[in-house]
Amino acid sequence: MDNLVQLSSVTQAMRARDLLKSNGINSAVQRITASRGQGPCAYGLKIFNRFDEAISILREHNIHVIGRARGEIR
Amino acid sequence: MIYLDNGATTFPKPAGVINSVGNTLRNYGANPGRGGHRLAMKASELLYDARKNVADFFGVEDSSNVIFTLNCTTSLNMVIKGILKKGDHVIISSYEHNAALRPLEKLKEKGITYSVAEVFEKDNEKTLASFREQIRPNTRLLVCTYASNVFGIKVPVERICALCHQYGILTCVDAAQAAGIVPIDLSDSSIDYLCIAGHKGLYGPMGTGALIVNCDTIPDTFIEGGTGSNSASSEQPEILPDRFESGTGNLSGVVGMSNGVNFVRSRGQLNLYNREMQLIQRAYKALSKLDKVILYTEYPDMDYYVPVLSFNIKDMDSETVSQILSSRFNIATRAGLHCAPLAHTTKGTLDIGTVRVVPSAFTTLNDINSLISAVCNIK
């Protein structure tokens, strides 16, 4: 399964990316299909390593992770 | 032309600002925060970088708290109309711009009142006491200018905001005439909402500004609409900055503003402030020797003033003087009330206005000497 999470906006996704990068975790912002029931129009973060730790870091810094994304738009 | 109307908007703009605006329009003209294609993502990155840059400049850790607006007036309206409810009371200073005064006057219709605290030039203790006297049990918000856009008088806003916090009063500062001139660090500040113009001391394009939220009390929305986020919901997102940035923004303008911030950084903010004060002091000293000239402040120093000078020529209308300076000497100044009737009432110039001189990073000593010479020659 892709390590792809949905954030609340593109700004938050970029904040999350920068935060993870400062902790040595690589990720990339991309347009995604939103979590179930939330329709299209969402941005997410594809996390390339240390996924569980990344989620903890984001939560520690009050960056709201809406959920796992349903799928990547390719 | 000698341009001394930088209080209205700085001109010329730095080359870096002009180039960045052009580059954005030419190469990154997609809508940020909307699509997922490569150009839209690049536009989003540009907007995000600008937001981080402005946040860093004002000592804000979370760049999401920087909300880009059209101008300082919009920022002030967002706070004033987003915070206040029926029965609330507001304190303002005696030097407020119409950007603060008119929204508050409008809100009288909704049962919101305001009172004016007198600012005492070069006497921060008396000024502080004056604000303390205006505090009431229902005082909800302070709206205060950082510095008068007409007379350059700095208001001790940090101390006033700290005082207000002791009483649980939220604080909103109009930094239109100070941002980019006076260093403002929100990381150690009692300012809850900082309203700034992008096109003045930050050297950005016109039509740019920001509201920086520096507290947990988020104003109600000013407008609602599309944000590119949480689009399935008919409710406005709670998250910043999206909550306040509905509709397509001014990407090229914001990028220009961010490059204006870089310009100020590269020149050194305190260096610019010091240099512009020296120019104003030169003008003040020379004009004060002319019997026909009326000045309205004490000698302007950096502790108590920003580089803004107002004057009149006896028995002449301020508009006439400004017109002569323009037509005969090609010097641009601003006459009249500068959208700040309260400030002119405070100084007794409501009927005649003043001629305002504001330098910028591009103003030279020769420019100021030309102004002095021109004033000497006006009969």
Side-chain angles (χ1 to χ4, degrees):
Chain A
M1 183 178 186
D2 284 337
N3 287 336
L4 193 62
V5 292
Q6 183 185 347
L7 281 301
S8 49
S9 71
V10 68
T11 309
Q12 297 306 315
M14 289 175 177
R15 274 189 69 212
R17 177 199 59 196
D18 288 358
L19 177 63
L20 294 182
K21 189 176 178 187
S22 69
N23 284 275
I25 298 174
N26 293 323
S27 62
V29 176
Q30 56 192 68
R31 187 85 165 171
I32 57 169
T33 300
S35 305
R36 198 163 296 282
Q38 296 191 26
C41 292
Y43 289 90
L45 204 58
K46 187 165 188 176
I47 300 170
F48 297 116
N49 55 330
R50 293 152 59 193
F51 181 83
D52 292 338
E53 186 187 349
I55 299 300
S56 299
I57 290 169
L58 296 179
R59 287 187 175 138
E60 273 172 28
H61 287 81
N62 295 319
I63 294 180
H64 180 51
V65 178
I66 292 175
R68 287 272 183 121
R70 264 198 294 148
E72 186 176 357
I73 298 174
R74 295 182 192 277
Chain B
M1 181 183 60
I2 295 172
Y3 185 83
L4 297 173
D5 192 18
N6 295 284
T9 195
T10 44
F11 177 82
K13 302 298 182 189
V17 171
I18 296 167
N19 292 340
S20 67
V21 171
N23 183 46
T24 305
L25 288 172
R26 269 193 304 274
N27 299 316
Y28 303 105
N31 205 329
R34 298 329 196 243
H37 58 84
R38 204 171 289 171
L39 203 58
M41 294 305 288
K42 181 61 188 171
S44 297
E45 293 282 1
L46 281 180
L47 184 60
Y48 177 67
D49 287 346
R51 206 182 300 280
K52 277 200 302 184
N53 197 28
V54 172
D56 182 59
F57 188 73
F58 289 101
V60 179
E61 191 178 343
D62 184 352
S63 63
S64 309
N65 289 346
V66 174
I67 297 148
F68 289 121
T69 63
L70 289 172
N71 44 49
C72 195
T73 296
T74 306
S75 306
L76 284 160
N77 269 268
M78 287 163 71
V79 176
I80 290 168
K81 292 174 179 169
I83 291 291
L84 297 170
K85 302 280 185 289
K86 184 179 179 183
D88 285 343
H89 169 254
V90 183
I91 301 171
I92 64 173
S93 84
S94 51
Y95 285 103
E96 291 314 306
H97 190 276
N98 273 343
L101 189 63
R102 283 181 171 168
L104 289 167
E105 196 62 29
K106 175 73 178 170
L107 288 182
K108 278 184 175 176
E109 296 167 4
K110 295 185 176 175
I112 291 155
T113 56
Y114 70 90
S115 53
V116 180
E118 192 175 348
V119 174
F120 295 89
E121 202 173 334
K122 288 193 171 182
D123 193 337
N124 289 347
E125 297 304 326
K126 271 179 84 172
T127 297
L128 209 64
S130 164
F131 277 81
R132 188 182 285 111
E133 280 172 20
Q134 299 300 331
I135 294 174
R136 299 176 189 171
N138 63 332
T139 303
R140 173 75 170 144
L141 183 67
L142 166 87
V143 181
C144 188
T145 187
Y146 202 111
S148 167
N149 68 307
V150 185
F151 300 103
I153 297 165
K154 277 204 286 191
V155 183
V157 288
E158 279 296 352
R159 291 186 64 187
I160 295 166
C161 290
L163 169 74
C164 286
H165 275 191
Q166 288 176 18
Y167 292 85
I169 299 165
L170 293 167
T171 62
C172 174
V173 169
D174 171 358
Q177 217 65 48
I181 311 282
V182 184
I184 300 173
D185 181 4
L186 292 177
S187 68
D188 182 26
S189 170
S190 295
I191 298 171
D192 292 320
Y193 311 102
L194 185 73
C195 302
I196 59 174
H199 62 102
K200 298 189 182 193
L202 295 175
Y203 293 89
M206 286 180 273
T208 59
L211 164 62
I212 303 179
V213 177
N214 195 38
C215 68
D216 294 332
T217 305
I218 307 302
D220 199 358
T221 49
F222 187 57
I223 59 166
E224 299 81 26
T227 59
S229 54
N230 199 21
S231 297
S233 171
S234 57
E235 292 181 8
Q236 190 73 1
E238 293 288 331
I239 194 91
L240 299 183
D242 299 40
R243 182 169 175 76
F244 296 105
E245 289 187 358
S246 291
T248 297
N250 178 6
L251 177 64
S252 58
V254 164
V255 170
M257 177 178 164
S258 176
N259 275 274
V261 166
N262 292 342
F263 169 78
V264 172
R265 271 205 191 97
S266 70
R267 292 290 185 99
Q269 194 172 15
L270 275 174
N271 287 342
L272 287 175
Y273 184 14
N274 187 41
R275 186 179 166 281
E276 289 164 29
M277 282 307 296
Q278 286 175 7
L279 294 173
I280 285 297
Q281 287 164 348
R282 161 76 182 136
Y284 186 98
K285 278 181 186 167
L287 294 178
S288 66
K289 289 175 185 162
L290 302 176
D291 287 340
K292 65 181 178 182
V293 170
I294 307 167
L295 295 168
Y296 294 94
T297 65
E298 295 182 41
Y299 180 76
D301 57 64
M302 279 177 73
D303 287 342
Y304 294 100
Y305 299 88
V306 294
V308 174
L309 182 67
S310 265
F311 72 94
N312 269 311
I313 294 180
K314 283 175 189 165
D315 303 322
M316 288 186 80
D317 181 81
S318 63
E319 295 285 2
T320 304
V321 173
S322 186
Q323 186 56 41
I324 292 170
L325 286 170
S326 175
S327 59
R328 279 180 49 194
F329 302 99
N330 205 14
I331 298 174
T333 59
R334 167 121 177 244
L337 299 181
H338 316 94
C339 299
L342 201 52
H344 282 282
T345 300
T346 300
K347 285 290 188 183
T349 51
L350 188 64
D351 293 337
I352 56 171
T354 58
V355 181
R356 184 182 68 177
V357 172
V358 182
S360 81
F362 299 102
T363 307
T364 65
L365 184 58
N366 278 346
D367 293 339
I368 296 299
N369 288 338
S370 296
L371 169 76
I372 294 162
S373 172
V375 172
C376 285
N377 282 301
I378 292 176
K379 296 187 176 95

